[in-house]
Coordinates of all heavy atoms in Angstrom, one line a residue:
M851 N 114.9 -30.9 -9.7 CA 114.4 -30.1 -8.6 C 113.3 -30.8 -7.9 O 112.5 -31.5 -8.4 CB 113.8 -28.8 -9.2 CG 113.7 -27.6 -8.3 SD 115.3 -27.1 -7.8 CE 115.7 -26.0 -9.0
G852 N 113.3 -30.7 -6.6 CA 112.4 -31.4 -5.7 C 111.7 -30.5 -4.8 O 111.9 -29.3 -4.8
S853 N 110.9 -31.1 -3.9 CA 110.1 -30.3 -3.0 C 110.2 -30.9 -1.6 O 110.3 -32.2 -1.5 CB 108.8 -30.0 -3.5 OG 108.1 -31.3 -3.6
I854 N 109.9 -30.1 -0.5 CA 109.8 -30.5 0.8 C 108.4 -29.9 1.3 O 108.1 -28.8 1.0 CB 110.8 -30.0 1.7 CG1 112.2 -30.6 1.3 CG2 110.6 -30.2 3.2 CD1 113.5 -29.9 2.0
T855 N 107.7 -30.8 2.1 CA 106.5 -30.3 2.6 C 106.5 -30.1 4.1 O 106.9 -30.9 4.9 CB 105.3 -31.3 2.3 OG1 105.1 -31.4 0.9 CG2 104.0 -30.8 2.9
F856 N 106.3 -28.8 4.5 CA 106.2 -28.5 5.9 C 104.7 -28.6 6.3 O 103.8 -28.1 5.6 CB 106.7 -27.1 6.2 CG 108.1 -26.8 5.9 CD1 108.5 -26.5 4.6 CD2 109.0 -27.1 6.9 CE1 109.9 -26.3 4.3 CE2 110.4 -26.8 6.7 CZ 110.9 -26.5 5.4
V857 N 104.4 -29.2 7.5 CA 103.1 -29.4 8.0 C 103.0 -28.6 9.4 O 103.7 -29.0 10.2 CB 102.8 -30.8 8.2 CG1 101.2 -30.9 8.6 CG2 103.0 -31.6 6.9
E858 N 102.2 -27.5 9.4 CA 101.9 -26.8 10.6 C 101.2 -27.7 11.6 O 100.7 -28.7 11.3 CB 101.1 -25.6 10.4 CG 101.8 -24.5 9.5 CD 100.9 -23.2 9.4 OE1 100.6 -22.7 10.4 OE2 100.6 -23.0 8.2
H859 N 101.3 -27.3 13.0 CA 100.6 -28.0 14.0 C 99.1 -28.2 13.7 O 98.6 -29.3 14.0 CB 100.8 -27.2 15.3 CG 100.3 -27.9 16.4 ND1 101.0 -29.0 17.0 CD2 99.1 -27.9 17.3 CE1 100.3 -29.6 18.1 NE2 99.2 -28.8 18.2
D860 N 98.5 -27.4 13.0 CA 97.1 -27.5 12.7 C 96.8 -28.3 11.4 O 95.6 -28.4 11.0 CB 96.4 -26.2 12.7 CG 96.8 -25.3 11.4 OD1 97.6 -25.8 10.6 OD2 96.3 -24.1 11.3
G861 N 97.8 -28.8 10.8 CA 97.8 -29.7 9.6 C 97.9 -28.9 8.3 O 97.9 -29.5 7.2
T862 N 98.0 -27.6 8.4 CA 98.2 -26.8 7.1 C 99.5 -27.1 6.5 O 100.5 -27.1 7.1 CB 98.2 -25.3 7.5 OG1 97.0 -25.0 8.1 CG2 98.3 -24.4 6.1
E863 N 99.5 -27.4 5.2 CA 100.7 -27.9 4.5 C 101.3 -26.8 3.6 O 100.5 -26.0 3.0 CB 100.4 -29.1 3.6 CG 100.0 -30.4 4.4 CD 99.9 -31.6 3.6 OE1 100.1 -31.5 2.3 OE2 99.6 -32.7 4.2
H864 N 102.6 -26.7 3.5 CA 103.3 -25.8 2.7 C 104.3 -26.6 2.0 O 105.3 -27.1 2.5 CB 104.0 -24.7 3.5 CG 103.1 -23.9 4.4 ND1 102.5 -22.7 4.0 CD2 102.7 -24.2 5.7 CE1 101.8 -22.3 5.1 NE2 101.9 -23.2 6.0
T865 N 104.3 -26.8 0.6 CA 105.2 -27.5 -0.2 C 106.1 -26.5 -0.9 O 105.5 -25.6 -1.6 CB 104.5 -28.4 -1.2 OG1 103.8 -29.4 -0.4 CG2 105.5 -29.2 -2.0
V866 N 107.4 -26.6 -0.6 CA 108.4 -25.6 -1.2 C 109.4 -26.3 -2.0 O 109.8 -27.4 -1.7 CB 109.0 -24.8 -0.1 CG1 107.8 -24.0 0.7 CG2 109.9 -25.6 0.8
E867 N 109.9 -25.6 -3.0 CA 111.0 -26.1 -3.7 C 112.4 -26.2 -3.0 O 112.7 -25.3 -2.2 CB 111.3 -25.3 -5.0 CG 110.7 -25.8 -6.2 CD 111.1 -24.9 -7.4 OE1 112.2 -24.4 -7.5 OE2 110.3 -24.9 -8.3
I868 N 113.1 -27.3 -3.2 CA 114.4 -27.4 -2.6 C 115.5 -26.6 -3.4 O 115.5 -26.6 -4.6 CB 114.8 -28.9 -2.7 CG1 113.9 -29.7 -1.8 CG2 116.3 -29.0 -2.3 CD1 114.1 -31.3 -2.0
E869 N 116.2 -25.8 -2.7 CA 117.4 -25.0 -3.3 C 118.6 -25.8 -2.6 O 119.0 -25.4 -1.6 CB 117.3 -23.6 -3.0 CG 116.1 -22.9 -3.7 CD 116.1 -21.4 -3.4 OE1 117.1 -20.8 -3.6 OE2 115.1 -21.0 -2.8
P870 N 119.2 -26.7 -3.3 CA 120.3 -27.5 -2.7 C 121.4 -26.6 -2.0 O 121.8 -25.6 -2.6 CB 120.8 -28.3 -3.8 CG 119.6 -28.4 -4.8 CD 118.9 -27.1 -4.7
G871 N 121.7 -27.0 -0.8 CA 122.7 -26.2 -0.1 C 122.2 -25.3 0.8 O 122.9 -24.8 1.8
K872 N 121.0 -24.8 0.7 CA 120.2 -23.9 1.5 C 119.8 -24.6 2.8 O 119.3 -25.8 2.7 CB 119.1 -23.2 0.9 CG 118.5 -22.1 1.6 CD 117.3 -21.4 0.9 CE 117.8 -20.3 0.1 NZ 116.7 -19.5 -0.5
S873 N 119.9 -24.0 4.0 CA 119.4 -24.8 5.2 C 117.8 -25.0 5.2 O 117.2 -24.1 4.5 CB 119.8 -24.0 6.5 OG 119.1 -22.9 6.6
L874 N 117.5 -25.9 5.9 CA 116.0 -26.1 6.0 C 115.3 -25.0 6.6 O 114.2 -24.6 6.2 CB 115.8 -27.5 6.8 CG 114.3 -28.0 6.8 CD1 113.9 -28.3 5.3 CD2 114.3 -29.2 7.6
M875 N 116.0 -24.4 7.6 CA 115.4 -23.1 8.3 C 115.2 -22.1 7.3 O 114.1 -21.5 7.2 CB 116.3 -22.7 9.5 CG 115.9 -21.5 10.2 SD 116.4 -19.9 9.5 CE 118.1 -19.8 10.1
Q876 N 116.3 -21.8 6.4 CA 116.2 -20.7 5.5 C 115.3 -21.0 4.4 O 114.6 -20.0 4.0 CB 117.6 -20.3 5.0 CG 117.7 -18.9 4.4 CD 117.6 -17.9 5.5 OE1 118.1 -17.9 6.5 NE2 116.6 -16.9 5.3
T877 N 115.1 -22.2 4.0 CA 114.2 -22.6 3.0 C 112.7 -22.3 3.5 O 112.0 -21.7 2.7 CB 114.3 -24.1 2.7 OG1 115.7 -24.4 2.2 CG2 113.3 -24.6 1.7
A878 N 112.4 -22.6 4.7 CA 111.2 -22.4 5.2 C 110.9 -20.8 5.3 O 109.9 -20.3 4.9 CB 111.0 -23.0 6.7
K879 N 111.9 -20.1 5.9 CA 111.6 -18.6 6.0 C 111.5 -17.9 4.7 O 110.7 -17.1 4.6 CB 112.8 -18.1 6.9 CG 112.7 -18.4 8.3 CD 113.8 -17.8 9.2 CE 113.5 -16.4 9.4 NZ 112.6 -16.0 10.5
D880 N 112.3 -18.3 3.7 CA 112.3 -17.7 2.4 C 111.0 -18.0 1.7 O 110.6 -17.2 0.8 CB 113.5 -18.1 1.6 CG 114.8 -17.5 2.0 OD1 114.8 -16.7 3.0 OD2 115.8 -17.9 1.6
N881 N 110.3 -19.0 2.1 CA 109.0 -19.4 1.4 C 107.8 -18.9 2.2 O 106.7 -19.4 2.0 CB 109.0 -20.8 1.1 CG 109.9 -21.2 -0.1 OD1 109.5 -20.9 -1.3 ND2 111.1 -21.5 0.1
G882 N 108.1 -18.2 3.3 CA 106.9 -17.7 4.2 C 106.2 -18.8 5.0 O 105.2 -18.7 5.4
V883 N 107.0 -19.8 5.3 CA 106.3 -20.9 6.1 C 106.4 -20.4 7.6 O 107.4 -20.1 8.2 CB 107.2 -22.2 6.0 CG1 106.7 -23.3 7.0 CG2 107.2 -22.8 4.7
P884 N 105.2 -20.3 8.3 CA 105.2 -19.9 9.6 C 105.5 -21.0 10.5 O 105.7 -22.2 10.3 CB 103.6 -19.5 9.8 CG 103.0 -20.4 8.9 CD 103.9 -20.7 7.7
G885 N 106.1 -20.5 11.8 CA 106.2 -21.5 12.8 C 107.7 -21.9 13.0 O 108.1 -22.5 13.9
I886 N 108.6 -21.2 12.2 CA 110.0 -21.3 12.4 C 110.6 -20.0 12.5 O 110.5 -19.1 11.7 CB 110.7 -22.0 11.3 CG1 110.4 -23.5 11.1 CG2 112.3 -22.0 11.4 CD1 111.0 -24.3 10.0
D887 N 111.1 -19.7 13.8 CA 111.6 -18.4 14.1 C 112.9 -18.1 13.6 O 113.3 -17.2 13.0 CB 111.4 -18.0 15.6 CG 110.0 -18.1 16.1 OD1 109.1 -18.0 15.3 OD2 109.7 -18.4 17.2
G888 N 113.9 -18.9 14.0 CA 115.3 -18.7 13.6 C 115.9 -17.6 14.2 O 116.6 -16.9 13.4
D889 N 115.7 -17.3 15.4 CA 116.1 -16.0 16.1 C 117.6 -15.8 16.0 O 118.1 -14.7 15.9 CB 115.8 -16.0 17.5 CG 114.3 -15.9 17.6 OD1 113.6 -15.4 16.6 OD2 113.7 -16.1 18.7
C890 N 118.5 -16.8 16.0 CA 120.0 -16.6 16.0 C 120.5 -16.6 14.5 O 121.8 -16.4 14.4 CB 120.7 -17.8 16.8 SG 120.8 -19.2 16.0
G891 N 119.6 -16.8 13.5 CA 120.2 -16.6 12.2 C 120.7 -17.9 11.7 O 121.6 -17.9 10.7
G892 N 120.7 -19.0 12.4 CA 121.3 -20.3 11.9 C 122.5 -20.6 12.6 O 123.3 -21.5 12.1
E893 N 122.9 -20.0 13.8 CA 124.2 -20.2 14.5 C 124.0 -21.4 15.5 O 124.9 -21.6 16.3 CB 124.6 -19.0 15.2 CG 124.9 -17.8 14.3 CD 126.0 -18.0 13.3 OE1 126.9 -18.7 13.7 OE2 125.8 -17.6 12.2
C894 N 122.9 -22.1 15.5 CA 122.8 -23.3 16.5 C 122.8 -22.7 17.9 O 123.5 -23.2 18.7 CB 123.8 -24.4 16.2 SG 123.3 -25.9 17.0
A895 N 122.3 -21.5 18.2 CA 122.3 -20.9 19.5 C 121.0 -20.6 20.1 O 121.0 -20.2 21.3 CB 123.1 -19.7 19.4
C896 N 119.8 -20.8 19.4 CA 118.7 -20.3 20.0 C 117.6 -21.4 20.1 O 116.8 -21.4 21.0 CB 118.0 -19.3 19.1 SG 117.4 -19.7 17.5
G897 N 117.7 -22.4 19.3 CA 116.6 -23.5 19.3 C 115.3 -23.2 18.8 O 114.3 -23.9 19.0
T898 N 115.1 -22.0 18.1 CA 113.7 -21.6 17.7 C 113.5 -22.0 16.3 O 112.6 -21.4 15.6 CB 113.6 -20.1 17.9 OG1 114.5 -19.5 16.9 CG2 113.7 -19.6 19.2
C899 N 114.2 -23.0 15.8 CA 113.9 -23.6 14.5 C 113.7 -25.1 14.6 O 114.0 -25.8 13.6 CB 115.1 -23.3 13.5 SG 116.7 -24.1 14.2
H900 N 113.1 -25.5 15.7 CA 112.9 -26.9 16.0 C 111.8 -27.4 14.9 O 110.8 -26.8 14.7 CB 112.3 -27.1 17.4 CG 111.8 -28.3 17.7 ND1 110.7 -28.7 18.6 CD2 112.3 -29.6 17.4 CE1 110.6 -29.9 18.6 NE2 111.5 -30.5 18.0
V901 N 112.1 -28.7 14.3 CA 111.2 -29.3 13.5 C 111.3 -30.8 13.8 O 112.2 -31.3 14.5 CB 111.5 -29.1 11.9 CG1 111.3 -27.6 11.5 CG2 113.0 -29.5 11.7
I902 N 110.2 -31.4 13.4 CA 110.1 -32.8 13.7 C 110.1 -33.5 12.2 O 109.1 -33.3 11.5 CB 108.9 -33.3 14.5 CG1 109.0 -32.5 15.9 CG2 108.8 -34.7 14.6 CD1 107.7 -32.4 16.6
I903 N 111.1 -34.3 11.9 CA 111.2 -34.9 10.6 C 110.4 -36.2 10.6 O 110.3 -36.9 11.6 CB 112.6 -35.3 10.3 CG1 113.6 -34.1 10.5 CG2 112.8 -35.9 8.9 CD1 113.4 -32.9 9.6
A904 N 109.5 -36.3 9.4 CA 108.6 -37.4 9.5 C 109.3 -38.7 9.1 O 110.1 -38.7 8.2 CB 107.5 -37.1 8.4
G905 N 109.0 -39.7 9.9 CA 109.4 -41.1 9.7 C 110.9 -41.3 9.2 O 111.8 -40.7 9.9
D906 N 111.1 -42.0 8.3 CA 112.5 -42.4 7.8 C 113.2 -41.3 7.2 O 114.4 -41.5 7.0 CB 112.2 -43.6 6.8 CG 112.3 -44.9 7.4 OD1 112.4 -45.0 8.7 OD2 112.3 -45.9 6.7
W907 N 112.6 -40.2 7.0 CA 113.3 -39.0 6.4 C 114.4 -38.6 7.3 O 115.3 -37.8 6.9 CB 112.3 -38.0 6.0 CG 111.6 -38.2 4.7 CD1 110.3 -38.5 4.6 CD2 112.1 -38.3 3.4 NE1 110.0 -38.8 3.4 CE2 111.0 -38.6 2.5 CE3 113.4 -38.0 2.9 CZ2 111.2 -38.7 1.2 CZ3 113.5 -38.1 1.4 CH2 112.4 -38.4 0.7
I908 N 114.3 -39.0 8.5 CA 115.4 -38.4 9.4 C 116.7 -38.9 9.0 O 117.8 -38.1 9.1 CB 115.1 -39.0 11.0 CG1 116.1 -38.3 12.0 CG2 115.2 -40.4 11.1 CD1 115.8 -36.8 12.2
K909 N 116.8 -40.1 8.3 CA 118.1 -40.5 7.8 C 118.8 -39.6 6.8 O 120.0 -39.5 6.7 CB 117.9 -41.9 7.2 CG 117.6 -43.0 8.1 CD 117.4 -44.3 7.5 CE 116.6 -45.3 8.4 NZ 115.9 -46.4 7.6
A910 N 117.9 -38.9 6.0 CA 118.4 -38.0 5.0 C 118.8 -36.7 5.5 O 119.6 -36.0 4.8 CB 117.3 -37.8 3.9
T911 N 118.7 -36.5 6.8 CA 119.0 -35.2 7.4 C 120.4 -35.2 7.9 O 120.9 -34.1 8.5 CB 118.0 -34.8 8.4 OG1 118.0 -35.6 9.5 CG2 116.6 -34.6 7.8
G912 N 121.1 -36.3 8.1 CA 122.4 -36.3 8.7 C 122.3 -36.5 10.2 O 121.3 -36.9 10.7
V913 N 123.5 -36.2 10.8 CA 123.6 -36.5 12.3 C 123.7 -35.1 13.0 O 124.3 -34.2 12.6 CB 124.9 -37.3 12.5 CG1 125.1 -37.4 14.0 CG2 124.9 -38.6 11.8
A914 N 123.0 -35.1 14.1 CA 123.0 -33.9 14.9 C 124.2 -33.7 15.7 O 124.8 -34.7 16.3 CB 121.7 -33.8 15.9
S915 N 124.7 -32.5 15.9 CA 126.0 -32.3 16.6 C 125.6 -32.2 18.1 O 124.5 -32.2 18.5 CB 126.5 -30.9 16.3 OG 125.6 -29.9 16.7
D916 N 126.6 -32.3 19.0 CA 126.4 -32.3 20.4 C 125.6 -31.0 20.8 O 124.7 -31.0 21.6 CB 127.7 -32.4 21.2 CG 128.2 -33.7 21.1 OD1 127.6 -34.7 20.7 OD2 129.5 -33.9 21.5
G917 N 126.1 -29.9 20.2 CA 125.4 -28.5 20.5 C 124.0 -28.6 20.0 O 123.1 -28.0 20.9
E918 N 123.7 -29.2 19.0 CA 122.3 -29.3 18.6 C 121.4 -30.0 19.6 O 120.4 -29.7 19.9 CB 122.2 -29.7 17.1 CG 120.7 -29.9 16.7 CD 120.6 -30.4 15.3 OE1 121.6 -30.6 14.6 OE2 119.4 -30.8 14.8
L919 N 122.0 -31.1 19.9 CA 121.3 -32.1 20.8 C 121.1 -31.4 22.2 O 120.0 -31.6 22.8 CB 122.1 -33.4 21.1 CG 122.3 -34.3 19.8 CD1 123.2 -35.4 20.0 CD2 120.9 -34.9 19.4
Q920 N 122.0 -30.7 22.6 CA 121.8 -29.9 23.9 C 120.6 -28.9 23.8 O 119.8 -28.8 24.8 CB 123.1 -29.1 24.4 CG 124.2 -30.1 24.9 CD 125.6 -29.2 25.1 OE1 125.5 -28.1 25.1 NE2 126.5 -30.1 25.4
L921 N 120.5 -28.2 22.7 CA 119.5 -27.3 22.5 C 118.1 -28.1 22.4 O 117.1 -27.7 23.0 CB 119.6 -26.4 21.3 CG 120.5 -25.2 21.4 CD1 120.8 -24.6 20.0 CD2 120.0 -24.2 22.4
L922 N 118.1 -29.2 21.7 CA 116.9 -30.0 21.6 C 116.4 -30.5 23.0 O 115.2 -30.7 23.2 CB 117.2 -31.2 20.6 CG 117.2 -30.7 19.2 CD1 117.7 -32.0 18.2 CD2 115.8 -30.3 18.6
D923 N 117.5 -30.8 23.8 CA 117.1 -31.3 25.2 C 116.2 -30.3 25.9 O 115.4 -30.7 26.9 CB 118.3 -31.6 26.0 CG 118.9 -33.0 25.7 OD1 118.2 -33.7 25.1 OD2 120.1 -33.2 26.0
M924 N 116.4 -29.0 25.6 CA 115.5 -28.0 26.2 C 114.2 -27.6 25.5 O 113.5 -26.8 26.0 CB 116.4 -26.8 26.3 CG 117.6 -26.9 27.2 SD 118.5 -25.3 27.4 CE 119.3 -25.1 25.8
T925 N 113.9 -28.4 24.5 CA 112.8 -28.2 23.7 C 111.6 -29.0 24.3 O 111.6 -30.2 24.2 CB 113.0 -28.5 22.3 OG1 114.2 -27.8 21.7 CG2 111.9 -28.2 21.4
P926 N 110.5 -28.3 24.7 CA 109.3 -29.0 25.3 C 108.8 -30.1 24.4 O 108.3 -31.1 24.9 CB 108.3 -27.9 25.7 CG 109.1 -26.7 25.5 CD 110.3 -26.9 24.6
E927 N 108.6 -29.8 23.1 CA 107.9 -30.7 22.2 C 108.9 -31.7 21.5 O 108.5 -32.2 20.5 CB 107.1 -30.1 21.3 CG 106.0 -29.1 21.9 CD 105.2 -28.3 20.8 OE1 104.5 -28.8 20.1 OE2 105.5 -27.1 20.8
R928 N 110.0 -32.0 22.1 CA 111.1 -32.8 21.5 C 110.5 -34.3 21.1 O 109.8 -34.8 22.0 CB 112.3 -32.9 22.3 CG 113.3 -33.7 21.6 CD 114.6 -33.8 22.4 NE 115.6 -34.6 21.6 CZ 116.8 -34.8 21.9 NH1 117.3 -34.3 23.0 NH2 117.6 -35.6 21.0
A929 N 110.7 -34.7 20.0 CA 110.3 -36.0 19.6 C 111.6 -36.8 19.2 O 112.7 -36.2 19.0 CB 109.4 -35.9 18.4
D930 N 111.5 -38.1 18.8 CA 112.6 -38.9 18.5 C 113.3 -38.4 17.2 O 114.5 -38.6 17.0 CB 112.2 -40.4 18.2 CG 111.9 -41.1 19.6 OD1 112.2 -40.5 20.6 OD2 111.1 -42.1 19.5
T931 N 112.4 -37.8 16.3 CA 113.1 -37.3 15.1 C 113.2 -35.8 15.0 O 113.1 -35.2 14.0 CB 112.4 -37.8 13.9 OG1 110.9 -37.4 14.1 CG2 112.3 -39.3 13.8
S932 N 113.3 -35.1 16.2 CA 113.5 -33.7 16.2 C 114.8 -33.2 15.7 O 115.9 -34.0 15.9 CB 113.4 -33.2 17.7 OG 112.0 -33.2 18.1
R933 N 114.8 -32.1 15.0 CA 116.1 -31.6 14.6 C 116.0 -30.1 14.6 O 114.9 -29.5 14.7 CB 116.5 -32.0 13.2 CG 116.8 -33.4 12.8 CD 118.2 -33.8 13.5 NE 119.3 -32.9 13.3 CZ 120.1 -33.0 12.1 NH1 119.9 -33.9 11.3 NH2 121.1 -32.1 12.1
L934 N 117.2 -29.4 14.6 CA 117.1 -27.9 14.4 C 117.3 -27.7 12.9 O 118.2 -28.1 12.3 CB 118.2 -27.2 15.2 CG 118.1 -27.4 16.7 CD1 119.2 -26.6 17.4 CD2 116.8 -26.7 17.2
A935 N 116.3 -27.0 12.4 CA 116.2 -26.9 10.9 C 117.4 -26.1 10.3 O 117.8 -26.3 9.2 CB 114.9 -26.1 10.4
C936 N 118.1 -25.2 11.1 CA 119.2 -24.5 10.6 C 120.5 -25.3 10.4 O 121.4 -25.0 9.8 CB 119.5 -23.2 11.5 SG 120.3 -23.7 13.0
Q937 N 120.3 -26.5 11.0 CA 121.5 -27.5 11.0 C 121.4 -28.5 9.9 O 122.3 -29.4 9.8 CB 121.8 -28.1 12.3 CG 122.0 -27.1 13.5 CD 123.2 -26.2 13.2 OE1 124.3 -26.8 13.1 NE2 123.1 -24.9 12.9
I938 N 120.4 -28.4 9.1 CA 120.2 -29.3 8.0 C 120.3 -28.6 6.7 O 119.8 -27.6 6.4 CB 118.7 -29.9 8.1 CG1 118.6 -30.6 9.4 CG2 118.5 -30.7 6.9 CD1 117.1 -31.1 9.6
S939 N 121.4 -29.0 5.9 CA 121.6 -28.6 4.6 C 120.8 -29.3 3.6 O 120.9 -30.6 3.6 CB 123.1 -28.6 4.2 OG 123.2 -28.1 3.0
T940 N 119.9 -28.7 2.8 CA 119.0 -29.4 2.0 C 119.7 -30.0 0.7 O 120.6 -29.3 0.2 CB 117.8 -28.6 1.5 OG1 118.3 -27.4 0.7 CG2 117.0 -28.1 2.7
T941 N 119.2 -31.1 0.3 CA 119.7 -31.7 -1.0 C 118.6 -32.3 -1.8 O 117.5 -32.4 -1.3 CB 120.7 -32.9 -0.7 OG1 119.8 -34.0 -0.1 CG2 121.7 -32.6 0.4
E942 N 118.8 -32.5 -3.1 CA 117.7 -33.0 -3.9 C 117.2 -34.4 -3.4 O 116.1 -34.8 -3.8 CB 118.1 -33.0 -5.4 CG 118.2 -31.7 -5.9 CD 118.6 -31.5 -7.3 OE1 118.5 -32.7 -8.0 OE2 118.7 -30.4 -7.9
A943 N 118.1 -35.1 -2.7 CA 117.7 -36.5 -2.1 C 116.6 -36.2 -1.1 O 116.0 -37.2 -0.7 CB 118.9 -37.1 -1.5
M944 N 116.3 -35.0 -0.7 CA 115.2 -34.8 0.3 C 113.8 -34.5 -0.4 O 112.9 -34.2 0.1 CB 115.5 -33.6 1.1 CG 116.6 -33.9 2.0 SD 117.1 -32.3 3.0 CE 118.6 -33.1 3.9
N945 N 113.8 -34.9 -1.7 CA 112.5 -34.7 -2.5 C 111.4 -35.5 -2.0 O 111.6 -36.8 -1.8 CB 112.8 -35.1 -4.0 CG 111.5 -34.8 -4.8 OD1 110.7 -34.0 -4.5 ND2 111.4 -35.6 -5.9
G946 N 110.3 -34.9 -1.5 CA 109.2 -35.6 -0.9 C 109.2 -35.6 0.6 O 108.3 -36.2 1.2
M947 N 110.3 -35.1 1.2 CA 110.4 -35.2 2.7 C 109.2 -34.4 3.3 O 108.9 -33.3 2.8 CB 111.7 -34.6 3.1 CG 112.1 -34.7 4.6 SD 113.8 -34.5 5.1 CE 113.9 -32.6 5.0
V948 N 108.9 -34.8 4.4 CA 107.7 -34.2 5.2 C 108.4 -33.7 6.5 O 109.0 -34.5 7.2 CB 106.5 -35.1 5.4 CG1 105.5 -34.5 6.3 CG2 105.9 -35.5 4.0
V949 N 108.1 -32.5 6.9 CA 108.7 -31.8 8.1 C 107.5 -31.3 8.9 O 106.8 -30.5 8.4 CB 109.7 -30.8 7.7 CG1 110.2 -30.0 9.0 CG2 110.8 -31.3 6.9
R950 N 107.4 -31.8 10.1 CA 106.2 -31.1 11.0 C 106.8 -30.1 11.9 O 107.9 -30.1 12.4 CB 105.7 -32.4 11.8 CG 105.1 -33.5 11.0 CD 104.4 -34.5 11.7 NE 104.1 -35.7 10.8 CZ 103.1 -35.7 9.9 NH1 102.4 -34.5 9.8 NH2 103.0 -36.8 9.1
L951 N 106.0 -29.1 12.1 CA 106.3 -28.0 13.0 C 105.8 -28.2 14.2 O 104.5 -28.5 14.4 CB 105.9 -26.7 12.2 CG 106.4 -26.5 10.9 CD1 105.7 -25.3 10.2 CD2 107.9 -26.3 10.9
P952 N 106.4 -27.8 15.4 CA 105.7 -27.9 16.6 C 104.7 -26.9 16.9 O 104.7 -25.8 16.1 CB 107.0 -27.7 17.6 CG 107.9 -26.9 16.8 CD 107.7 -27.4 15.4
E953 N 104.0 -26.9 17.9 CA 103.0 -25.9 18.2 C 103.6 -24.6 18.6 O 103.2 -23.5 18.1 CB 102.0 -26.3 19.2 CG 100.8 -25.4 19.5 CD 99.8 -26.0 20.4 OE1 100.0 -27.0 21.0 OE2 98.7 -25.4 20.4
F954 N 104.6 -24.7 19.3 CA 105.3 -23.5 19.8 C 106.9 -23.7 19.6 O 107.3 -24.8 19.8 CB 105.1 -23.3 21.3 CG 103.6 -23.1 21.6 CD1 103.0 -24.1 22.3 CD2 102.9 -22.0 21.3 CE1 101.7 -24.1 22.6 CE2 101.6 -21.9 21.6 CZ 101.0 -23.0 22.3
Q955 N 107.6 -22.6 19.3 CA 109.1 -22.6 19.4 C 109.4 -22.0 20.8 O 108.6 -21.3 21.4 CB 109.7 -21.7 18.4 CG 109.5 -22.2 17.0 CD 110.2 -23.5 16.6 OE1 111.1 -23.9 17.4 NE2 109.9 -24.0 15.5
M956 N 110.4 -22.5 21.5 CA 110.7 -22.1 22.8 C 111.2 -20.6 22.9 O 111.7 -20.1 22.0 CB 111.7 -23.0 23.5 CG 113.2 -23.0 22.9 SD 114.1 -24.1 23.8 CE 115.7 -23.9 23.0
Ligands
FES1416 S1 118.1 -20.7 14.0 FE1 118.8 -20.6 16.1 S2 119.3 -22.7 16.5 FE2 118.5 -22.8 14.4

């Protein structure tokens, strides 16, 4: 069992257990991590689950689809390592991963 740490815009950290196979968005919501809305329920249709993956951990999250990239293009706080959390399936290989939350979801 491993853990992932979400860091809010103000620096507040939330370390949560990985449940392999659950999306990063659902993992955050199920653990009460604020700052991820997930309005479309994980259908890659709203863009309100934007997160910024810290450093090299981006490699562990896989490749974003064209649809995800289009939504990210509309995200004001987009960074080089931005992803939509609903499109990331968590694995134990993500133990120790740090995920930063933007100040606002669009
Ligand atoms: S929850 Fe809507 S795009 Fe991720």
Side-chain angles (χ1 to χ4, degrees):
M851 204 61 83
S853 64
I854 293 170
T855 298
F856 293 88
V857 184
E858 291 184 59
H859 187 73
D860 68 1
T862 305
E863 296 188 1
H864 304 265
T865 298
V866 304
E867 256 185 32
I868 295 169
E869 293 179 56
K872 185 180 274 192
S873 77
L874 190 61
M875 179 274 280
Q876 203 60 52
T877 299
K879 289 187 70 90
D880 288 353
N881 286 281
V883 176
I886 295 183
D887 297 338
D889 289 343
C890 75
E893 299 297 323
C894 196
C896 69
T898 64
C899 62
H900 175 217
V901 294
I902 300 160
I903 309 295
D906 268 3
W907 283 108
I908 190 67
K909 294 177 192 153
T911 66
V913 178
S915 68
D916 288 346
E918 179 180 347
L919 292 172
Q920 284 174 9
L921 281 172
L922 286 171
D923 278 345
M924 296 187 283
T925 304
E927 296 176 73
R928 183 177 182 174
D930 288 346
T931 58
S932 285
R933 290 293 313 268
L934 294 181
C936 71
Q937 298 302 297
I938 297 171
S939 182
T940 60
T941 71
E942 289 186 3
M944 293 174 182
N945 182 30
M947 185 164 80
V948 176
V949 178
R950 299 187 190 288
L951 302 171
E953 185 169 11
F954 303 106
Q955 297 290 348
M956 61 180 186

